[in-house]
Structure formats: structure tokens, C-alpha cells
Amino acid sequence: MNALDPLPGDAPPAIGDAFEVRRAGPEGKPPTPLVFASPHSGRLYPEDMMSAAALDAVSIRRSEDAFVDDLIAQAPAHGAAVITANFARAYIDLNREPFELDPGMFSDQLPEFARARTARVAAGLGAIARVVSEGQEIYRRKLTFAEARRRIDGAHRPYHAALSGLIEEARAAHGFAILVDWHSMPAAAARAAGRERPCDIVLGDRFGAACAGVLPTRVERELEAMGYRVTRNMPYAGGYTTEHYGQPGRRAHALQIEINRALYLDEATLAPTSGFETLRAHVEQLTRALATADWSALKAS
């Protein structure tokens, strides 16, 4: 068996359920080079996951980038295409390599192409997470590789096929593409990232490898003008999406944005706070600035 072989058995979740795409213009004719993605804000917890889980959905939801999809919802009105995941991050993490799997979670042997020795797998946060953010074990039994494969085929594969398509559309129309991968981080991580006080936003560009420097510099300038404290690459330098799609030499630029959840969310109840509307307005303001910026330098990068 290899990574492309079809898997017999129950059908995977319907591709149409895996994600939503909102274009800013006709297919193939995006008005700007911007593509926004939110891979961790999905809220669907399928029965095939919950029947094997030791935790309830409320507990598992602590791993979500809750409401990040709502924060970027106005982006198409300003020229950015948007793709958002529907399935929960704990069901399948779209910001991981598809077969980044922990062999200890499975009752059968993983195929040789599985990537079992990564730092993310060791932390329990592979493509199928072993733990939620507090370190609680998600499952009460071992999974099978068939179960993992159905999640990969039904959600991970189609999401990334659609994301790749949006990036190619932008590059074909404008000569380059700008992918912004939106996330949120626990307030505890934001406190650890700040030297004197918690940071508000972390920009991850794989330490300069995923995009031309003009992109994070412009984003940082816009956010700091709004009063946010911005850091770069610590503790989040960008995950699979940023690394995989950020290819400046091929005129594809990717930047990860991590937002401190304390700005807009009650982490205990997972309810938006009074700061949500302010933050959403600022995200829209940033989107407008990026959509109208002069990115001509990226065509030659």
C-alpha cells in the first residue's frame, strides 16, 4: 500500500462537508492575490470520532481556533478568497502532513510512508491528535489505520486540493499569490511569547523562508498601528501549510497569523467576549490594507 492507494471500506465523509470556499470574484479571476485560510476553526465532530472518544465535544473543543472563521468572514468583500474547514481540528488537523500519525494510537501497524517521528507527533498533536490542549487523552480505545485514512481522504486531501487551486488561481491572475493562514493561540502561549507582557499576535514566516520580507513587515506595521503587540516566529513559526505553500521562488508567499484568544474569547466557556467585534473590525481593516497595497515587488521575487 502507498499513500495514493484507495482504501476499501466505509465511505469517507462527503467532500462537500469538509470545507467551505468563498471567492471574491468569478472562478479563475480573483480580484486580488490574497487567499485566506482557517484550518482549525471547524466545529463538526463526526460520530465516528465521538464514538471512540473518552472526552465529550465540549472538552475537545478547547483545541479549536474558535470563531477565527468568523473573524475573517468579511475578507471576500475586500478581494480575498477564503477557505475554512468544517471538521474539527481534533478530527483531522489540516495544518499537518496528512500521514503525520502516532503509531501508539493505532491497533494495527502504520504503513511505511507514515511520518511517525516528528516533534508534533511526539507532543500528541499529529494529523490525528492524541490529546487536547490541556494534555487530556482524547480516545478511550486505539484507532485503526482505516479510520485515519478515511479522515485523510474525506477531509485533508480535498481541503488541500481546494487550497492549492485557490493559490494557483491567484498566481495565474496576478503573477504571484499571498496565502494568509489564520489561527488563534491560548493566552498562556501568548504570555510565554511576550517578554514584558503577553503578545497579541504572532506572525510566522518560517524564519523568512515562506515569504518575502515585505509581507510580514507590512502586516506588522498595520497591526502595530492599531495598537497590537506583534512578535515573529516565537512560539509559532508556521506549520505545514505555511511551509508547504510558502515558496517565494515560485511566487507563492505564505504567512501564518496567530491571535491571542484573550483578545476575543472566554477560554473557559468558549464564548466570544466584548472584544470580538473590535478585533473583527481590525481584521477587516488589515484585509483592506493588504488588498490595496502595492505588491509589485513580489512579482520579481
Side-chain angles (χ1 to χ4, degrees):
M1 180 187 294
N2 62 58
L4 299 178
D5 287 337
L7 186 76
D10 295 337
I15 287 176
D17 294 336
F19 60 88
E20 294 181 12
V21 169
R22 295 178 61 209
R23 284 182 165 83
E27 185 171 353
K29 297 182 179 180
T32 79
L34 296 173
V35 178
F36 283 6
S38 177
H40 287 169
S41 55
R43 302 167 177 77
L44 297 182
Y45 291 83
E47 176 57 29
D48 65 311
M49 173 187 180
M50 297 312 300
S51 63
L55 302 176
D56 59 27
V58 174
S59 298
I60 302 173
R61 279 199 67 199
R62 310 229 180 265
S63 294
E64 285 180 20
D65 288 349
F67 305 109
V68 168
D69 51 347
D70 292 331
L71 290 174
I72 64 174
Q74 297 305 311
H78 301 286
V82 173
I83 181 169
T84 56
N86 287 331
F87 289 118
R89 172 189 187 179
Y91 181 71
I92 182 69
D93 193 328
L94 303 174
N95 198 30
R96 300 288 185 266
E97 294 187 49
F99 294 97
E100 197 170 356
L101 301 171
D102 181 350
M105 293 179 61
F106 296 90
S107 59
D108 48 352
Q109 187 172 355
L110 296 181
E112 291 184 1
F113 57 75
R115 294 209 59 210
R117 297 176 180 269
T118 72
R120 292 176 293 213
V121 167
L125 298 172
I128 296 179
R130 177 174 55 81
V131 299
V132 294
S133 56
E134 295 90 347
Q136 294 175 287
E137 297 278 341
I138 294 174
Y139 294 99
R140 59 179 173 78
R141 66 165 174 82
K142 290 185 180 294
L143 306 179
T144 65
F145 178 66
E147 289 176 292
R149 187 62 183 266
R150 280 190 284 274
R151 299 186 195 187
I152 293 165
D153 288 346
H156 194 287
R157 192 186 301 273
Y159 173 89
H160 281 282
L163 177 55
S164 295
L166 293 175
I167 292 170
E168 288 306 314
E169 286 181 11
R171 183 160 50 185
H174 300 279
F176 63 97
I178 298 173
L179 168 63
V180 182
D181 203 42
W182 292 86
H183 296 262
S184 67
M185 58 182 167
R191 287 192 295 271
R195 295 181 179 177
E196 298 177 359
R197 62 184 177 88
C199 69
D200 297 315
I201 294 172
V202 178
L203 304 181
D205 63 1
R206 304 296 299 178
F207 298 96
C211 61
V214 65
L215 177 57
T217 296
R218 180 60 185 263
V219 172
E220 185 175 42
R221 187 174 75 212
E222 296 290 339
L223 290 170
E224 287 182 342
M226 298 175 202
Y228 293 103
R229 185 167 187 268
V230 182
T231 62
R232 294 200 196 186
N233 292 311
M234 294 298 290
Y236 303 106
Y240 169 74
T241 299
T242 312
E243 182 177 16
H244 182 70
Y245 294 103
Q247 302 180 46
R250 299 185 63 237
R251 299 185 304 283
H253 302 265
L255 180 70
Q256 179 174 289
I257 297 182
E258 292 270 1
I259 301 170
N260 184 346
R261 291 174 190 162
L263 294 174
Y264 74 98
L265 187 72
D266 183 324
E267 292 188 83
T269 65
L270 298 179
T273 64
S274 58
F276 179 84
E277 291 300 333
T278 297
L279 178 60
R280 180 159 61 176
H282 284 157
V283 169
E284 185 173 9
Q285 182 179 334
L286 173 63
T287 304
R288 188 183 305 113
L290 297 181
T292 57
D294 178 7
W295 299 111
S296 56
L298 298 184
K299 294 182 180 181
S301 62

